[in-house]
Amino acid sequence: CSSDLEIISDNEIDSLVSDPDKVVDIIMYVKNEAAKQDISDDQIRSLIQTAESTAGVSLSEEEENRIIKIVKQIKEIGR
């Protein structure tokens, strides 16, 4: 969805890691899983970590926190 990509670009996802495409994949995976239910930040972090290992990417805690914020913004728009 274009609004999802706008939120991602507004949050300067390119500055997070060396492979922004993988981070976008992680965000979209987490967003899809999070959309199924209301979940806590810790549950979102767990989804991010699962997606990280699948994508072969390792994010810092700060980067994970930024992705949590992005996912929550996307979820709010989707309501």
Side-chain angles (χ1 to χ4, degrees), residues 14-71:
D14 293 354
S15 67
L16 282 179
V17 291
S18 58
D19 194 340
D21 290 339
K22 286 188 179 179
V23 176
V24 170
D25 290 344
I26 289 170
I27 292 170
M28 299 314 283
Y29 165 79
V30 173
K31 179 199 84 138
N32 290 335
E33 291 300 309
K36 297 175 184 174
Q37 59 194 327
D38 282 333
I39 61 174
S40 69
D41 289 4
D42 287 341
Q43 290 169 307
I44 294 172
R45 184 179 311 281
S46 178
L47 289 170
I48 291 168
Q49 291 168 346
T50 298
E52 282 177 61
S53 62
T54 301
V57 176
S58 181
L59 302 174
S60 70
E61 186 175 344
E62 178 186 335
E63 291 168 333
E64 289 177 355
N65 289 338
R66 286 180 63 188
I67 292 175
I68 289 169
K69 179 181 158 202
I70 292 166
V71 169

Side-chain angles (χ1 to χ4, degrees), residues 1-8 28 31 74 77-78:
C1 171
S2 63
S3 63
D4 294 354
L5 295 177
E6 286 173 28
I7 291 171
I8 292 168
M28 299 314 283
K31 179 199 84 138
I74 291 170
I77 287 176

